[in-house]
Amino acid sequence: MIKFDKLDYPKNGNKIEIKDGQLIVPNHVNIPFIEGDGTGKDITTAMRRVVDAAVEKTYKGKRKIEWFEIFAGEKALALYDTRLPEETIKAIEHFIVGIKGPLTTPVGEGYRSLNVAMRQKLDLYNCIRPCKYYGAPSPVKNPEDMNIVIFRENTEDVYAGIEWEKGTENVKKMRQFIEKEYGIKLPEDSGIGIKPISEKCSKRLVRAAIQYAIKNSLPSVTLMHKGNIQKFTEGAFRKWGYEVAIEEFRDFIITEQELLEKYDGKMPEGKILIKDRIADSIFQQVLTRTKEYSIIATTNLNGDYISDACAAQIGGLGIAPGANIGDNIALFEPSHGSAPKYANQDKVNPSAIILSAVMMLKYIGWNEAGTIIERAIRKAIKEKKVTYDFARLFNINKELKTSEYANELIKNIIKES
Ligand code: NAP
């Protein structure tokens, strides 16, 4: 058994194993969780209560989650003197599947993102963010048209953290190098960042997106990029994306060009359409032609932007779940941040982390428990028993606290026939 320094190995339950590439999930399973900063405590507590109720209702004691707290962010700083202890990474690697609340990152100064560091250290290269309508009030006319899963590359792009601040010795060296080697003179008062986009990381992301489309019988995968301007990074992502599609999935896909040239614009039965869109254009397309998009596979920064924009159409960040998945390890988390201004007010919407847990339940094969939670959320929204964010959109005065909303979901789960 693995030894931890400050964590007590769970006394009950068993860990998930991987055998021949398949997850072996025990009925009494250990799941590590990170509470998160800011509103993390409120939403993670709500999530665990709702998940426990759904698992109990569905499996009547035959299956159970043994939650196991591990630490990052403020809580880790207090316990380990660092915000991202190695032991936390080790625990996620060991237990294979985990869930986390949001972690704070200061803007423009201070320490680098712990979220990004975790994704990079654990090589969780797919960030999967489904945007599906659960009946929440929405600023658009047909929010039910939104059913898009975003596959965001999670390890490189400008998130690689390679940048130098204006006025430092490092930025000066970089400027001199660029001028000497490439004859390009940059303004003395600039900061410089580097955007690496690799063939390997682009291809594995697009590969996972197409595999997901095949597994879930989805109609299309759209490569989102800014390749008209950033030709050798974003443009290359597009090129490598098509290469993966054609070289590895020839029998499953057709490209948009083939659709027009060979099929007269009529989609052949059972094939997945691979198309691409320039980033700026797709922001209006997801609003005006929402139904035409099913999976969007994209680079890291584009993925961050487009997932929040899609979430806005289905009620906002309060209901936007996500997962970070690598070859073996999966770490589920909401799309939103720690919303520090609402910390410890028992106020924010826990649906995003609860739906992240639904993704986790489905990932480990406990689909029925996940589905029962989704129904509970739909019912609560339909009855306008919601937290402040949806109450604001519904234009009603009555809003539930985070914990009251969790109570409502648990009530719905228990009442299920
Ligand atoms: P944020 O925490 O996502 O909050 C932005 C706004 O989104 C909130 O003010 C609130 O809008 C709405 N919102 C967020 N969570 C919500 C919830 N659970 N229920 C209802 N509404 C919710 O973004 P931020 O303020 O830009 O970032 C705060 C910190 O989180 C930063 O340090 C950032 O780096 C970090 N962050 C972490 C992650 C992560 O852990 N993966 C992701 C993103 C950001 P209203 O005020 O309009 O109600």
Side-chain angles (χ1 to χ4, degrees), residues 102-105 115 333 336-339 341-342 349 388-389 392:
L103 296 167
T104 298
T105 312
N115 306 298
E333 65 171 341
H336 62 69
S338 54
K341 66 179 176 182
Y342 298 127
N349 191 345
Y388 85 98
D389 50 333
R392 185 171 61 192

Side-chain angles (χ1 to χ4, degrees), residues 37 39 43 100-107 111 113-116 119 129 152 304 308 315-319 324 333-342 347-353 387-390 392:
D37 295 328
T39 50
I43 60 171
K100 68 177 273 292
L103 296 167
T104 298
T105 312
V107 179
Y111 57 92
S113 167
L114 308 172
N115 306 298
V116 172
R119 294 167 194 159
R129 292 182 167 174
R152 164 190 177 196
D304 200 8
D308 278 24
L317 286 176
I319 194 154
N324 302 291
E333 65 171 341
S335 292
H336 62 69
S338 54
K341 66 179 176 182
Y342 298 127
K347 180 176 178 81
V348 299
N349 191 345
S351 297
I353 195 168
T387 44
Y388 85 98
D389 50 333
F390 289 177
R392 185 171 61 192

